[in-house]
Amino acid sequence: MICYPYPKVTFSPVREHLKSWTAQNLGSADTAAIQILFSLPKMPDVQTLVNDFLNQLKKRKIEGSQATAKLTAELLRSVISQQRVPHTNQATALIYAVRAVGEQLIAANPVELAVGNIVRRVLHIIREEDLSLATAAMAGLGVSAASDDEDDMERDENSVLSAAAVAAAARSTLRPPSLQTLLEDTPDSAAAPHTSSSGGESDGRSRSVDKGSRVRKLKHDVIEAVNELIQDISTCYEQIAEQAVEHIHHNEVILTLGSSKTVLEFLYAAKEKQRSFKVFVAEGAPRYQGHILAKELAARGLQTTVITDSAVFAMISRVNMVIVGAHAVMANGGVIAPVGLNMVALAAQRHAVPFVVLAGSHKLCPLYPHNPEVLLNELRSPSELLDFGEFSDCMDSASGTGSLHVVNPTFDYVPPKLVSLFITDTGGHNPSYMYRLIADYYSADDLVVKRRPTAGS
Amino acid sequence: MDPSRRGPRAVIDPIPKFRQVGFFAPPERSQSGPPDPTHSSPQISNSLSPVMIPPARHLSENLLLHAPPAASPLRADSGGGGTSFDSGDFFPAPLSPALPSSSYSSRISGDFFKGNGGKVSASSFPRGGFDLTAMKAAAAPSVVVPASELTTVSVVNDSLGIPEKEKGSRAGGPAVEVKDQPNNSKQKPKTSKAERRALQEAQRAAKAAAKAEGNKASGTAASVNAKPAKAAKPAQKIENAAVAAPEKKGGEIPPEKDRKKDAPQPRMQYDDKSRVEKAKRRAVVKQTEARNRVELFRHLPQYEHGSQLPDLEARFFHLSPVHPAVYKVGLQYLTGDISGANARCIAMLQAFQEAIKDYKVPQEKTLVRDLTAKVSSYVSYLIECRPLSISMGNAIRFLKSRIAKLPLNLSESEAKASLLSDIERFISEKIILANKVIVKHAVTKIRDGDVLLTYGSSSAVEMILLHAHELGRQFRVVVVDSRPKLRGQLLLRRLVEKGLSCSYTHINAVSYIMHEVTRVFLGASSVLSNGTVYSRVGTACIAMVAHAFRVPVIVCCEAYKFHERVQLDSICSNELGDPDVISNVLGREDVHHLDGWANIENLQLLNLIYDATPSDYVSMIVTDYGMVPPTSVPVIVREYGREQPSFLFRNFGYFCLYSPVLEKSANFRLSRKIEPCILIICNNSF
C-alpha cells in the first residue's frame, strides 16, 4: 500500500514551509540515486526518457490521468523495445525491467495511480503473452507435466530471480478465472500441435533455437499489445461516450463538477443524439476547471449554467443525474476524484440523485484504499486560496500565538456506497463489481510493483 | 366601486410580513380620505374618530380598529397569486352566495359599505361593543335581496369576471404593487405619494369595514344561504368583546382557522410578467434585466448588476421620497458595503431612526398612517436595492406594529420619541443582547482540544470564538470559505490577529478537513419554522458533510431571525447575486476562461446567495432563548411572535390579503375565547 505522509503546507513559519514544499514537489535530488540503482542493461536514450518522465511526474507537470497513462505506456513500450532480452526467461527479464522502471515512476508520483495501473497492465500483458506463447509451444510439444517441471527447473537455474514463481503463476494466478479467459484458454491449449518446435531430445540446441524465435515473438507480441493499450487509452472516452444515450434522457438536468474530457465527450455525445438537456457545472475551486468545461459545453450548444461549488446542495434537488470524471477508481469501488466530489456525492445521495462516474479502464486501480483522503491525496500550494501578501502582516502581529494553516487538497475520496454507477469503456458496472473488472486487467503478482529487498520476484 | 380592489390581485408581495402589519391602519383615515369619485360618504365624517378611544384600552381597540382595514384591498390582493392562499381556501362557498355576481353587486356593496364603513369602525369600537344588530338591520335590505337569489355558480363567475372587467376599467391607472403606492393618483395627480397613499388607505379601510359589516348583516339576514349557526355567533361574541379585550395580551392559541391565516404570504414571483411590469413602473431603482437569465430562477429578480449604482448616486441629492439616511443605506446594500443579516438590519433600523427623527406629520394626516406608509415606501426602496433579509423583514414588521400601536393620544414628538426608543430597544435587546446570550450559551460547548469549524463569516460565531479564546480555552478553528464572496478571509484575518490558531480552506475540501473537526458552528440568516436553516449558500453543504462525519452542527441564530415561513429547498425562495463575480476569480489572474460570458449563448452564471439546510443536519440551534433542537423552532416562533403584540395584528394583516373576497363575502365576526379571553376578529364563518 502506498503510504506517503504529506506534510501540510502552512504559512506559519512560512519560508521554511515553502522551502519544504518546494523540495517536496520539485526535489530532484534522488534522481541521481535512481540512476545508480538503475542497474539494468539499457540503452542510454531510454534512461534519459525515463529520467525526463520522472522529473515531470515529480514536478507534477503532467496533468490528468489519461495523459499520464499514455505517457507511461509509451515509455514502457520503449523500455521494452530497448531491453536486451536473454535467450531464456525473456519474460522474466522483461518483467524485471518494467518493474524496475515502474517502481521509480510510481515513487515519483504515488498519488497518480494511473502510472501504477499502466505499469501493472504492461506487466500483465507480458505475462499473458508469455503464457500464450508457452501454452502454444507446450501444446506443440505435447509434453507431460514432468517436462513442464523440468522446464521450470531449468529456468530457475538460469535466472537469478526465481522464474519458478512466474511460471507457476502462469497456470494458476496469471489468468484470472473469468469465464471468458477460460473459454479462450480451452481452444488454445487444445489447439492443433504447433509445428514450430519438435520433441526435445537434444535439449540444448533445439530448445535454444526454439527460444530464440520465442524471444523475438514475445517482444513483438508485447509491444503490439502495449500499442493496443495506448490505443485504448487514447480512445477510451469515445467508447464511454457511445453509452451516453443510454443514460441521458430528454429534458434532464445534469450536474458535474470541475472539468473532465470524458465528461465533456459524454455529454456532447448525448447532445449529438438530439437529446436536449441542461447542464449545471460547479466550478471546482480552487482550479476552476468548471469554467473551461462550461465554456466548451456552451460552445457545443448545450444549455449550461455555472454555479459555485457551495450551491451544489441547493441545486441538487433539481438535478436528475450527477455525472463526473474520476482521478482513479479503487478496487473496492471507491473513487479518488477531484476535490469537492465527496460533497457532491453526499448531496446526491441525500436527494437520491444517481451519481455516475465515468472512468476509462486505465483509471482502474487494483489497490484497496486505506485512509485515502490523506494517503492518496496531495496538498497544493496555499497561494491558490490565499494571497500570502495579504496575510503576512497579520501573521507578524499575531504575537506568536496565532497560526495560520492553509489546507488545499487536490483529491477527494468518494466511498463506493455513494456511487451509483461506473461507466467504463467496457460498459456500466456497479461499484461492487469493480474488483472483478480489475482482475481482468491485472495479474495478482503485480499488485505490489516494488521489488523485494532480497532477490526473488 | 374602487378599482384598486382588483389591482393588487395581480401582484405578489415579496416580503409579506411587514406588509400585513403595514395595513391595519385605523379607519380614522376616512376623515381625511378623498372624496370618492363614485360616492361621497357623508356618514364617514359623522363617525367618531378612533383618536377618542380611551388610552387604557388601546390594545383591544387596536385590535378592533385594525380589523376593518385588514380588509384593505391592496393587501388583500398581494396574496392572490399564491397557490396556497387562494381566496378559495379561506373564503369558501357558504357565505359567498350572499354575493351577487357581476359588478352590480360589487358596486352596490361597495357603495353601501363605503357609506357605513366609517361609522361602523369608528363609532362602535370606542364604545367597546358593537351594535351590530342595528347595523345588520340597516344593511340587510340592500344585500339580502341579491343574495337570496344567488347560487354558488354565480359566485364563481363573479370572482373570475370582476377582476378582468376592472382591470380593463383601470387600464392606464397606476399600478398597484409592491410599492404600496396609491391607486388614486390619476384623480389626484398633485398630491404627494404618501398623501395619496394615505387617502387611499382611508378609503379602503372604510370600505372594507363597511363591507364586512354589510356581509355580516347579509349573512344573518339571509341565513338561509349562510350557515345559520355561524351567523348567529358573531353577535354573541361581540357582546363579550369589550370584556375580553383587555386580556388579549395574555395570549392564546388562535383557533384553527386563524392559524391558517398566520401563514406567510407568498412572495412576488418575478416570472409573472404583468406583475413585474407593474413593479417596474414604480421602482426608484432602475433595474435592467440580465441577459442570460437562469431558467430555473425566473421567479427571482435577475438584474444586471452594477448598472443602477451610478444612476442612484447621481440622484442622491434630489430624490424626494426617500430619506437621505435610508437612501444611503440602500446604496450600501447595493454595493455590498453592508452585508450580514445583523449588520444590514441594524443599518436599516438606524436609518429609520434618522428618518423618524426628521419626520413631520403632514397636515391633515395622522402619524400612524402616514408614517407607516412612509416606512413602507422606504422598505420598497430598500428592496429594490437588495431583497430584504428575513431578519430585516422581522424588524420592519416590528417597527410597523409599533407605529400602529402608538397610543393615539400621544403628541407627535412623544410618538416619535417612543418609536425611536422602541427601535433602539429592538437593536439592543433583539440583536446585541441576544448575541451576548448566544455567546454565553455556545461557549459552554467549546472544550479544550476542540477543533471548531465555521463557514463564511458569521458575527455570532466570531463572537463565540473570541469569547472562548478570552476564557482561555485551547482550541483550533477551521475557517471554511467559498467563492465568490470569500468572507471567510475577513473572519480569518480577525481571528488570526486575535491570536487564535486557524486553518483555512475552501468548501470543496470540507470533507478532507472534517476528519479532524469536533464541532461545527454555523451562523444563519434565518431559521424557518420547519427547522430549516436558511443561510449563506454552502452552509447546507457544510452541515451535510458534518452530518456524514458524525460531527455535531451547532447553528447560532438570534430569535428575531426566526420566521414562520417553511421551505424545503433552496430554489423556491432565494436571492441571486451578481453573476459576473463568478467569472472573475479574485486574486487568480490565471482563471479567465469565462471572460465575456454574457455573449456566449447557452451559458448562464448563477450566483445563489442562500441555501436551505434541512433540519436533520442540525444538531442544535443556539438562540437567545437557549439551546434548542431544530424541532423546537416553531415553538419559539410562536412564543416569540406572541411576545410581540404585533403577533395578533398579523392575523389581521393576513385578512387584508384576501380582502377583495372579504369585501364581498367576508363575514366578520368577533370571537371571544372562553378561557383567557383573547379577542380575535376572524372571518372563519365562510
Side-chain angles (χ1 to χ4, degrees):
Chain A
M1 179 51 59
I2 311 156
C3 263
Y4 285 84
Y6 274 78
K8 289 173 184 167
V9 185
T10 69
F11 267 151
S12 35
V14 181
R15 282 178 194 100
E16 286 82 350
H17 274 278
L18 274 180
K19 216 181 288 169
S20 81
W21 181 80
T22 321
Q24 179 94 48
N25 286 278
L26 312 177
S28 51
D30 46 352
T31 23
I34 286 163
Q35 278 169 327
I36 294 162
L37 285 170
F38 209 74
S39 51
L40 277 170
K42 195 161 291 264
M43 301 291 280
D45 56 329
V46 178
Q47 188 56 59
T48 35
L49 277 179
V50 170
N51 286 342
D52 282 353
F53 191 58
L54 281 176
N55 269 329
Q56 281 184 315
L57 280 178
K58 279 184 190 157
K59 292 177 183 171
R60 310 294 193 255
K61 292 280 189 203
I62 307 167
E63 292 250 322
S65 45
Q66 202 220 3
T68 321
K70 211 168 161 184
L71 287 171
T72 312
E74 280 163 2
L75 179 74
L76 291 179
R77 183 180 59 188
S78 51
V79 167
I80 291 168
S81 64
Q82 302 283 341
Q83 177 70 29
R84 266 185 258 114
V85 207
H87 284 298
T88 52
N89 292 320
Q90 57 301 82
T92 318
L94 280 183
I95 286 170
Y96 184 74
V98 170
R99 275 195 170 198
V101 177
E103 193 187 343
Q104 299 167 53
L105 297 181
I106 291 170
N109 188 352
V111 298
E112 184 50 272
L113 295 166
V115 176
N117 296 344
I118 294 305
V119 171
R120 291 185 185 98
R121 287 281 290 272
V122 171
L123 289 173
H124 181 67
I125 285 169
I126 298 171
R127 285 172 204 275
E128 288 253 291
E129 295 298 333
D130 184 41
L131 180 72
S132 69
L133 281 179
T135 41
M138 254 158 243
L141 284 170
V143 286
S144 64
S147 82
D148 203 14
D149 281 343
E150 197 191 346
D151 185 29
D152 284 351
M153 297 266 285
E154 187 194 46
R155 283 187 184 195
D156 234 351
E157 287 157 17
N158 289 343
S159 151
V160 189
L161 303 169
S162 110
V166 180
R171 236 119 285 148
S172 54
T173 57
L174 184 64
R175 296 260 167 146
S178 91
L179 189 58
Q180 190 195 8
T181 40
L182 282 177
L183 288 171
E184 276 174 2
D185 240 5
T186 325
D188 233 10
S189 48
H194 253 259
T195 51
S196 63
S197 55
S198 54
E201 54 275 1
S202 56
D203 230 43
R205 202 153 29 107
S206 78
R207 243 187 198 279
S208 67
V209 171
D210 166 41
K211 293 219 162 152
S213 71
R214 272 178 65 189
V215 165
R216 257 166 275 126
K217 181 133 177 37
L218 176 72
K219 228 169 118 171
H220 178 260
D221 285 357
V222 167
I223 288 171
E224 277 295 295
V226 173
N227 278 337
E228 258 174 53
L229 173 66
I230 294 169
Q231 190 68 24
D232 276 356
I233 293 169
S234 41
T235 61
C236 75
Y237 47 79
E238 287 169 21
Q239 282 158 312
I240 294 175
E242 277 173 16
Q243 306 167 50
V245 240
E246 295 169 28
H247 298 282
I248 297 179
H249 199 254
H250 261 301
N251 297 327
E252 292 214 333
V253 180
I254 312 279
L255 184 135
T256 183
L257 181 141
S259 179
S260 154
K261 171 101 172 144
T262 322
V263 172
L264 175 71
E265 294 296 333
F266 190 81
L267 295 178
Y268 184 56
K271 158 84 183 162
E272 277 204 316
K273 293 282 191 310
Q274 310 302 323
R275 297 282 152 91
S276 65
F277 55 96
K278 286 181 206 156
V279 187
F280 283 118
V281 182
E283 52 186 10
R287 301 185 66 200
Y288 305 107
Q289 297 215 315
H291 291 182
I292 305 173
L293 179 70
K295 205 172 172 181
E296 284 270 329
L297 287 175
R300 296 192 183 189
L302 272 162
Q303 198 68 38
T304 312
T305 306
V306 182
I307 60 172
T308 52
D309 302 316
S310 45
V312 162
F313 188 89
M315 299 309 301
I316 200 110
S317 58
R318 295 296 185 275
V319 167
N320 297 105
M321 193 190 274
V322 179
I323 298 178
V324 294
H327 173 70
V329 178
M330 307 307 286
N332 65 346
V335 183
I336 309 291
V339 70
L341 275 184
N342 185 47
M343 189 176 80
V344 177
L346 283 170
Q349 188 199 35
R350 161 89 189 182
H351 291 272
V353 177
F355 186 85
V356 178
V357 177
L358 309 183
S361 57
H362 59 275
K363 294 187 181 180
L364 306 181
C365 178
L367 304 177
Y368 284 83
H370 168 67
N371 198 6
E373 295 92 337
V374 180
L375 299 180
L376 290 180
N377 214 334
E378 199 167 42
L379 290 160
R380 295 165 66 91
S381 163
S383 67
E384 288 180 335
L385 299 188
L386 273 188
D387 186 9
F388 172 65
E390 270 181 48
F391 275 81
S392 55
D393 57 327
C394 79
M395 291 311 304
D396 294 337
S397 66
S399 67
T401 51
S403 68
L404 178 53
H405 184 101
V406 179
V407 186
N408 183 13
T410 318
F411 302 119
D412 244 357
Y413 174 67
V414 183
K417 61 171 185 176
L418 297 182
V419 181
S420 315
L421 188 70
F422 284 103
I423 298 179
T424 68
D425 31 10
T426 59
H429 303 286
N430 236 23
S432 56
Y433 183 74
M434 291 323 277
Y435 84 97
R436 189 62 199 75
L437 196 61
I438 279 162
D440 279 344
Y441 290 114
Y442 307 99
S443 76
D445 281 352
D446 301 322
L447 294 190
V448 182
V449 177
K450 208 169 198 169
R451 286 171 299 180
R452 307 213 176 110
T454 54
S457 69
Chain B
M1 151 147 223
D2 188 352
S4 72
R5 269 227 307 256
R6 230 72 270 158
R9 178 163 287 169
V11 170
I12 285 199
D13 189 340
I15 17 98
K17 323 131 221 157
F18 35 89
R19 273 302 128 76
Q20 62 237 18
V21 177
F23 283 85
F24 52 71
E28 80 268 21
R29 253 180 261 166
S30 48
Q31 289 188 316
S32 59
D36 189 284
T38 57
H39 176 86
S40 65
S41 50
Q43 289 105 317
I44 288 176
S45 49
N46 295 341
S47 60
L48 287 176
S49 158
V51 184
M52 299 171 68
I53 295 164
R57 270 200 206 145
H58 80 269
L59 266 181
S60 60
E61 278 147 16
N62 273 338
L63 258 185
L64 298 175
L65 289 175
H66 296 325
S72 137
L74 189 60
R75 282 306 110 228
D77 268 37
S78 38
T83 49
S84 56
F85 298 119
D86 236 329
S87 51
D89 293 342
F90 293 94
F91 305 96
L95 227 232
S96 26
L99 289 179
S101 68
S102 84
S103 62
Y104 160 62
S105 70
S106 50
R107 185 168 46 77
I108 289 200
S109 54
D111 293 352
F112 171 74
F113 293 145
K114 242 172 248 161
N116 273 353
K119 192 190 241 168
V120 171
S121 54
S123 65
S124 57
F125 288 5
R127 274 185 272 132
F130 293 82
D131 191 5
L132 272 190
T133 34
M135 297 259 179
K136 271 177 224 157
S142 63
V143 184
V144 166
V145 178
S148 54
E149 295 163 0
L150 280 173
T151 66
T152 346
V153 180
S154 67
V155 173
V156 173
N157 291 338
D158 168 48
S159 58
L160 293 174
I162 290 182
E164 277 162 35
K165 202 189 301 179
E166 298 214 345
K167 245 183 240 162
S169 72
R170 59 190 294 267
V176 180
E177 42 71 69
V178 199
K179 308 299 152 37
D180 309 332
Q181 286 191 359
N183 293 318
N184 283 348
S185 56
K186 205 177 181 183
Q187 286 107 8
K188 321 206 125 206
K190 275 169 204 156
T191 47
S192 82
K193 188 173 164 188
E195 280 168 349
R196 272 179 277 140
R197 202 196 117 89
L199 292 183
Q200 200 193 351
E201 289 267 306
Q203 267 180 323
R204 244 181 263 137
K207 212 185 302 169
K211 199 161 290 174
E213 291 305 331
N215 279 334
K216 172 179 295 296
S218 74
T220 13
S223 55
V224 188
N225 295 342
K227 289 180 194 163
K230 294 224 164 157
K233 260 189 210 162
Q236 190 193 345
K237 295 267 152 102
I238 289 157
E239 284 170 8
N240 296 322
V243 191
E247 290 167 54
K248 170 212 86 175
K249 208 181 177 183
E252 179 184 23
I253 302 154
E256 199 55 31
K257 286 191 178 166
D258 293 319
R259 254 184 277 155
K260 236 197 264 173
K261 268 132 230 151
D262 231 6
Q265 166 190 7
R267 303 178 176 215
M268 167 137 173
Q269 304 293 304
Y270 283 78
D271 48 355
D272 188 325
K273 286 218 174 71
S274 60
R275 271 163 232 188
V276 171
E277 270 308 302
K278 286 173 184 168
K280 248 188 194 164
R281 256 180 271 154
R282 28 201 31 215
V284 176
V285 185
K286 293 286 169 256
Q287 306 269 26
T288 28
E289 291 270 312
R291 242 184 313 167
N292 294 4
R293 284 186 296 176
V294 184
E295 200 55 44
L296 192 55
F297 288 93
R298 285 272 169 185
H299 61 289
L300 298 177
Q302 298 190 35
Y303 294 129
E304 295 268 2
H305 285 258
S307 56
Q308 328 89 324
L309 189 62
D311 178 45
L312 275 183
E313 277 174 340
R315 288 194 291 157
F316 186 87
F317 293 105
H318 41 85
L319 192 82
S320 53
V322 180
H323 188 275
V326 179
Y327 199 75
K328 189 177 120 200
V329 169
L331 288 181
Q332 281 170 322
Y333 290 165
L334 195 63
T335 54
D337 288 351
I338 301 181
S339 63
N342 282 341
R344 282 171 70 194
C345 190
I346 292 176
M348 178 192 71
L349 286 175
Q350 284 170 345
F352 283 167
Q353 274 187 321
E354 289 299 311
I356 290 174
K357 265 182 212 159
D358 297 342
Y359 173 75
K360 268 212 176 72
V361 183
Q363 284 289 303
E364 304 205 345
K365 292 270 168 85
T366 57
L367 179 134
V368 172
R369 188 157 304 196
D370 188 55
L371 190 56
T372 310
K374 263 243 157 20
V375 170
S376 297
S377 73
Y378 294 161
V379 168
S380 42
Y381 161 73
L382 292 180
I383 294 171
E384 287 160 24
C385 292
R386 182 178 166 189
L388 296 183
S389 69
I390 289 177
S391 59
M392 290 163 73
N394 284 345
I396 292 166
R397 185 159 75 186
F398 165 83
L399 176 61
K400 286 195 176 177
S401 83
R402 286 292 151 165
I403 295 174
K405 264 167 44 47
L406 280 177
L408 293 157
N409 54 353
L410 282 188
S411 75
E412 184 181 326
S413 60
E414 278 172 335
K416 278 163 67 180
S418 140
L419 283 179
L420 291 178
S421 73
D422 277 344
I423 295 178
E424 196 59 55
R425 220 179 53 235
F426 185 91
I427 294 176
S428 64
E429 272 178 21
K430 302 291 183 204
I431 304 179
I432 295 171
L433 210 64
N435 261 317
K436 282 186 181 146
V437 177
I438 288 174
V439 168
K440 214 179 79 196
H441 286 310
V443 146
T444 62
K445 296 293 162 208
I446 301 180
R447 297 169 306 191
D448 280 349
D450 265 349
V451 180
L452 312 176
L453 184 141
T454 184
Y455 175 66
S457 171
S458 154
S459 56
V461 173
E462 183 179 353
M463 285 160 74
I464 291 164
L465 297 176
L466 291 178
H467 187 62
H469 183 65
E470 279 163 21
L471 292 179
R473 304 265 160 86
Q474 297 297 313
F475 61 94
R476 213 151 57 75
V477 181
V478 178
V479 179
V480 180
D481 208 351
S482 80
R483 284 237 307 133
K485 287 216 171 172
L486 294 175
R487 303 191 57 79
Q489 289 192 3
L490 307 176
L491 174 71
L492 180 70
R493 168 180 282 271
R494 290 192 294 263
L495 293 180
V496 170
E497 276 170 357
K498 287 272 164 43
L500 281 83
S501 46
C502 299
S503 301
Y504 177 81
T505 190
H506 55 89
I507 189 165
N508 274 345
V510 66
S511 12
Y512 175 88
I513 205 85
M514 197 57 85
H515 289 279
E516 49 196 79
V517 172
T518 57
R519 296 241 188 302
V520 174
F521 280 89
L522 297 173
S525 168
S526 176
V527 179
L528 310 179
S529 74
N530 59 344
T532 300
V533 175
Y534 186 70
S535 186
R536 161 137 218 86
V537 66
T539 306
C541 291
I542 305 280
M544 173 185 68
V545 174
H547 181 78
F549 284 80
R550 308 278 187 272
V551 179
V553 176
I554 299 167
V555 171
C556 307
C557 183
E558 300 85 348
Y560 87 100
K561 293 179 184 169
F562 287 24
H563 197 269
E564 72 265 19
R565 180 191 298 281
V566 291
Q567 208 172 320
L568 285 175
D569 62 20
S570 319
I571 313 248
C572 293
S573 138
N574 210 318
E575 187 186 331
L576 298 184
D578 181 3
D580 281 329
V581 294
I582 291 189
S583 61
N584 330 316
V585 181
L586 272 180
R588 291 285 299 281
E589 282 76 22
D590 51 323
V591 183
H592 45 71
H593 313 290
L594 288 182
D595 290 352
W597 64 275
N599 301 322
I600 305 177
E601 208 187 351
N602 299 325
L603 183 63
Q604 295 105 28
L605 269 53
L606 175 67
N607 183 8
L608 272 188
I609 304 286
Y610 295 108
D611 68 9
T613 310
S615 62
D616 50 340
Y617 291 154
V618 179
S619 320
M620 185 169 85
I621 297 175
V622 186
T623 77
D624 26 339
Y625 294 96
M627 296 177 274
V628 299
T631 45
S632 297
V633 173
V635 180
I636 290 198
V637 169
R638 196 182 66 204
E639 297 301 316
Y640 176 76
R642 186 106 48 84
E643 186 188 276
Q644 263 184 312
S646 66
F647 176 66
L648 280 174
F649 299 145
R650 258 195 351 248
N651 291 339
F652 307 134
Y654 288 118
F655 283 16
C656 298
L657 305 180
Y658 310 106
S659 63
V661 188
L662 205 81
E663 281 168 8
K664 292 176 285 176
S665 70
N667 191 359
F668 262 76
R669 79 185 173 95
L670 298 173
S671 71
R672 183 191 148 227
K673 301 301 285 193
I674 301 144
E675 301 136 287
C677 293
I678 176 169
L679 174 72
I680 284 164
I681 302 177
C682 62
N683 47 1
N684 56 359
S685 48
F686 0 91

